Amino acid sequence: METKRLVEKDPTLKKDDLIVITGAGGFIAGNLVKYLTRKGFTRIRAVDKKPLCEWYLRMPGVENLCLDVSQEDNCKRVCEDAVEVYNLAADMGGMGFIERFRVECLRSILINTHMVEAAYRAGTRRYFYSSSACAYNILLQQDPKVRALKESDAYPAMAERGYGWEKLISEMFCQEYWAERGLKTAIARFHNVYGPNGTWDGGREKAPAAMCRKVIEAIDKKDLNITIWGDGTATRSFMYIDDCVKGIDLIMHRDDLIATPINLGSNELVSVNELVSKVEKIAGVKLERHYDPSAPRGVAGRNSDNTFIRKMLGWEPNTTLDKGLAATYKWIKEQYYNRKKGKRVVE
Ligand SMILES: NC(=O)c1ccc[n+]([C@@H]2O[C@H](COP(=O)([O-])OP(=O)(O)OC[C@H]3O[C@@H](n4cnc5c(N)ncnc54)[C@H](O)[C@@H]3O)[C@@H](O)[C@H]2O)c1
C-alpha cells in the first residue's frame, strides 16, 4: 500500500532543473519544448516513439530520446531525476483518425498509467496531463448553436467513444494521485489546437490544417474545387499553438488548480464553412464547395466556456483565428512546395 507523500510548498523552479516532455516529436509537445527552451530552461528531456528524423521540431541542447512510453520500464527511465513531467504523448489525430481507430486511442491509457506512476516514484514535483474537450458529454454537443462547455459538463459522463473515455479515465488517475499520494497534477482540457509545426497531411491532420492544405492543393493543381467533410454547418473553436503552450505553463504552476480539470481553448466559435471562407480569403481564392456527408464529422457543435480560466488566471487564449490561420497557411504552403521540390518535409 502506498502512503501519501508529504506535500510541501515548491521551492523555486531552477533553470537547470530537469523537465521531461513526452510526445515531443509531435505538434504541441514539440512547441512546448521550444517555448521552455526559450524561457531559459537548460535541462529538457524530450521523448517520443517516432524516429528523430520525423519530429517536427528539434531544439539544440535538448536530450532527445526515442522511447515508447506505453512501456513501464521506459517510463521509469524517462522520469529519472525529473522535477517536472509534461505528458503529451498519445496516439491521436483529427476526426478521421479518432472515429476509425478507437482501440489505438484507448490503448493510450497505458501511457498515462505508467507515466504518472513513474513520475510519482521518481519524486517528481509536478505532473501535467493533456486532456481534451472530447472528454465532455456528447449529448450536450448535438446542436451547431451549442452552449459552450464548462468544466462540470464532463459528468454525468458520456464522452466521445474511445479517445474521450481514455482522456476521462486518465484525468481521474491524475486526480487520485493527488488525493491519495500527494503528487501535484495539472489537467488541461485542450479544445482543437492548430498552428505551424503540426500534422497537415496523411490522415491524422485536424480541420484547420486540412483546409489550408486543400486550398493550397486546389490552387497548385488549378482545380478550384474543395471537398468538405459533413455539411459544413458543424461548429468548433480553434486555439492557436502559442496560446496553448502559454496556458500549459500557467496551469501547471498554480496550486489552486492542482488536480482540477480546466478548459484550455478559444471561445471564438466558427462553422466549418466559415473556416473555409477564412482560408480562401488568406489565399485570395474562391473554390466550389462539395460536401461529403458520409465522412467522419464528430459532434455537431463544440465551444469552450472560458469563465473558469478567466477567473483563475485572468487570461484566456486570445489569438484570433484570422491571425493564427494566416501563420498556419504560410507554414503549410512552405511544406507543400518543399515536398513538391523533393525536399524532405514532415507530415
Ligand atoms: N491537437 C489538438 O487539437 C488536441 C486537442 C485535445 C487534446 N490534445 C492532446 O494533446 C496531446 C498532444 O497532441 P498533438 O496534437 O501534439 O498530437 P501529435 O500526434 O502531434 O503528438 C503526439 C505525439 O505522441 C507520440 N506518441 C504516441 N504514442 C507514444 C508512445 N507510446 N510513446 C512515445 N510517444 C508516443 C506520437 O509519436 C506523437 O509524436 C495529446 O495527448 C492529445 O490527445 C490535442
Side-chain angles (χ1 to χ4, degrees):
M1 185 95 74
E2 291 300 326
T3 48
K4 187 164 179 165
R5 89 184 184 197
L6 187 64
V7 178
E8 292 169 337
K9 196 172 167 352
D10 287 357
T12 313
L13 189 64
K14 297 198 295 294
K15 292 292 185 210
D16 61 352
D17 279 339
L18 179 66
I19 297 174
V20 168
I21 302 175
T22 69
F27 171 45
I28 302 175
N31 278 283
L32 182 63
V33 172
K34 184 170 157 191
Y35 168 90
L36 291 173
T37 307
R38 291 204 170 150
K39 265 191 103 173
F41 290 97
T42 55
R43 276 185 80 208
I44 296 178
R45 180 178 293 153
V47 188
D48 203 291
K49 69 175 178 182
K50 284 196 297 202
L52 262 180
C53 59
E54 290 178 19
W55 292 28
Y56 294 115
L57 287 164
R58 271 175 289 164
M59 299 304 291
V62 168
E63 178 191 1
N64 293 324
L65 296 181
C66 292
L67 285 174
D68 180 342
V69 289
S70 65
Q71 313 262 340
E72 189 177 6
D73 284 346
N74 289 342
C75 295
K76 287 183 190 158
R77 156 78 183 88
V78 160
C79 290
E80 247 168 49
D81 299 328
V83 175
E84 293 191 344
V85 171
Y86 295 83
N87 176 27
L88 287 100
D91 233 328
M92 84 88 123
M95 273 328 293
F97 182 83
I98 67 172
E99 280 201 358
R100 184 149 170 243
F101 298 108
R102 290 181 186 143
V103 172
E104 312 297 325
C105 292
L106 281 169
R107 285 182 59 82
S108 289
I109 195 81
L110 295 172
I111 299 176
N112 190 63
T113 307
H114 292 316
M115 279 299 297
V116 72
E117 173 73 13
Y120 163 74
R121 288 194 181 276
T124 300
R125 209 182 284 159
R126 284 182 188 253
Y127 180 91
F128 179 89
Y129 177 65
S130 50
S131 186
S132 162
C134 290
Y136 282 115
N137 189 325
I138 51 171
L139 302 177
L140 300 171
Q141 306 171 62
Q142 291 172 319
D143 186 338
K145 293 194 206 81
V146 65
R147 166 176 73 70
L149 294 160
K150 56 183 186 303
E151 285 74 4
S152 56
D153 289 331
Y155 293 96
M158 185 62 76
E160 188 113 23
R161 285 182 75 87
Y163 182 73
W165 278 101
E166 189 277 317
K167 292 294 184 194
L168 207 54
I169 295 292
S170 291
E171 283 188 1
M172 195 175 284
F173 267 91
C174 293
Q175 291 176 305
E176 300 309 340
Y177 268 78
W178 165 244
E180 277 185 27
R181 299 199 189 175
L183 172 63
K184 293 178 182 165
T185 55
I187 307 159
R189 290 188 185 139
F190 300 164
H191 290 245
N192 294 307
V193 191
Y194 73 100
N197 300 302
T199 312
W200 59 279
D201 203 0
R204 287 181 186 246
E205 66 279 15
K206 296 193 143 208
M211 295 311 172
C212 290
R213 188 203 67 238
K214 286 180 184 187
V215 170
I216 292 162
E217 247 164 14
I219 296 171
D220 181 41
K221 295 187 173 149
K222 300 187 177 52
D223 171 11
L224 299 186
N225 290 285
I226 185 165
T227 303
I228 296 168
W229 287 7
D231 61 8
T233 61
T235 54
R236 293 287 186 280
S237 69
F238 299 98
M239 164 169 58
Y240 191 57
I241 184 65
D242 292 1
D243 289 334
C244 182
V245 291
K246 177 177 174 180
I248 292 172
D249 185 12
L250 292 173
I251 291 165
M252 176 71 149
H253 298 108
R254 288 288 293 244
D255 281 350
D256 48 4
L257 284 176
I258 291 172
T260 308
I262 182 167
N263 278 335
L264 184 56
S266 158
N267 61 4
E268 183 184 349
L269 191 69
V270 291
S271 68
V272 174
N273 274 328
E274 285 163 341
L275 180 67
V276 177
S277 300
K278 283 181 185 294
V279 180
E280 283 178 336
K281 194 168 162 212
I282 292 164
V285 73
K286 271 264 169 240
L287 303 179
E288 177 139 356
R289 298 180 188 192
H290 307 274
Y291 295 94
D292 179 359
S294 65
R297 53 167 110 185
V299 293
R302 177 182 291 152
N303 195 6
S304 176
D305 183 325
N306 285 351
T307 313
F308 186 53
I309 191 170
R310 266 198 307 269
K311 177 174 159 223
M312 299 307 288
L313 303 181
W315 173 87
E316 66 189 301
N318 52 20
T319 306
T320 63
L321 188 52
D322 284 329
K323 187 172 168 209
L325 265 182
T328 309
Y329 183 87
K330 181 168 175 275
W331 182 80
I332 294 177
K333 193 172 164 191
E334 274 164 24
Q335 302 298 303
Y336 180 91
Y337 283 102
N338 278 342
R339 183 172 67 182
K340 210 176 157 191
K341 278 189 235 148
K343 284 195 198 156
R344 210 185 166 283
V345 294
V346 186
E347 284 163 4

